[in-house]
Amino acid sequence: VAFDQYIDGILDVILPDKRMKDYLGEQEILFFGPDEGTADKMDRAAQRAKQRGYALWKASTTGKSITMGGIPHDTYGMTTRSVHQYVLGFYRKLELQEGNIKKCQTGGPDGDLGSNEILISHDKTCSIVDGSGVLHDP
C-alpha cells in the first residue's frame, strides 16, 4: 500500500492538474528504478502510471518484466556505469553540463547501483532518499 501511495504521490505532482500552478511550464519526466525490496513492484508502478494517463508510462520504470518491454539487466550488462553513460548522452543532446545539474536521487548508499552513481557522477547531488534515511543539502 505504501509503495502505491508513493507512486500516486509522485504522479500527482507531475501530471497536469488545473488546480495546481505549474511553475516549470514543461512536461516533466518520471523514472523509477528498483532498489532494495522494490524490484518486484516495477510492473505495478508502470501500470499505475499508464492508468493515471502518464504519456511516458512505458519508460517510467526500469526492471519491468519482459512482457511489459523490460530488459533483464543482468543478461545485458546494465550497470551503474552504462546507465550513467546513457544519462550523459541526454546531457550532450540537450547541451547541458553534468557539473551544472542539480540532482535529487532516490536510492543510494543502501544499494550497489545507487551508491556507485554517487561515486561516479559529477553533478550537484542535493538530496538522497534511501531505505536507511534521507539526506538533503540545498
Side-chain angles (χ1 to χ4, degrees):
V1 173
F3 182 80
D4 294 336
Q5 291 173 339
Y6 172 72
I7 298 298
D8 274 333
I10 299 291
L11 289 167
D12 286 347
V13 172
I14 70 162
L15 288 173
D17 186 335
K18 291 179 181 167
R19 299 171 296 167
M20 296 178 73
K21 171 71 176 157
D22 181 2
Y23 291 98
L24 184 61
E26 300 175 9
Q27 180 182 8
E28 295 184 67
I29 299 172
L30 170 68
F31 183 77
F32 291 103
D35 202 3
E36 306 296 324
T38 63
D40 62 330
K41 295 173 176 52
M42 292 300 102
D43 280 4
R44 196 160 83 207
Q47 288 167 342
R48 185 63 182 150
K50 181 180 181 183
Q51 290 169 349
R52 294 280 308 272
Y54 181 57
L56 303 174
W57 68 269
K58 216 172 208 183
S60 65
T61 65
T62 182
K64 295 181 297 296
S65 63
I66 292 173
T67 59
M68 290 192 70
I71 299 170
H73 296 169
D74 52 351
T75 303
Y76 293 98
M78 297 295 286
T79 63
T80 302
R81 192 163 306 281
S82 65
V83 172
H84 188 75
Q85 288 300 313
Y86 190 70
V87 170
L88 292 178
F90 276 116
Y91 292 164
R92 282 190 299 276
K93 183 169 181 66
L94 298 171
E95 299 179 1
L96 300 171
Q97 297 298 314
E98 183 181 15
N100 296 333
I101 300 295
K102 201 170 193 181
K103 177 177 73 181
C104 176
Q105 179 173 320
T106 56
D110 292 344
D112 293 341
L113 298 178
S115 58
N116 288 334
E117 169 61 17
I118 293 167
L119 292 172
I120 68 171
S121 65
H122 298 289
D123 54 36
K124 298 173 183 172
T125 302
C126 61
S127 301
I128 300 172
V129 180
D130 210 352
S132 61
V134 175
L135 173 67
H136 179 70
D137 183 359

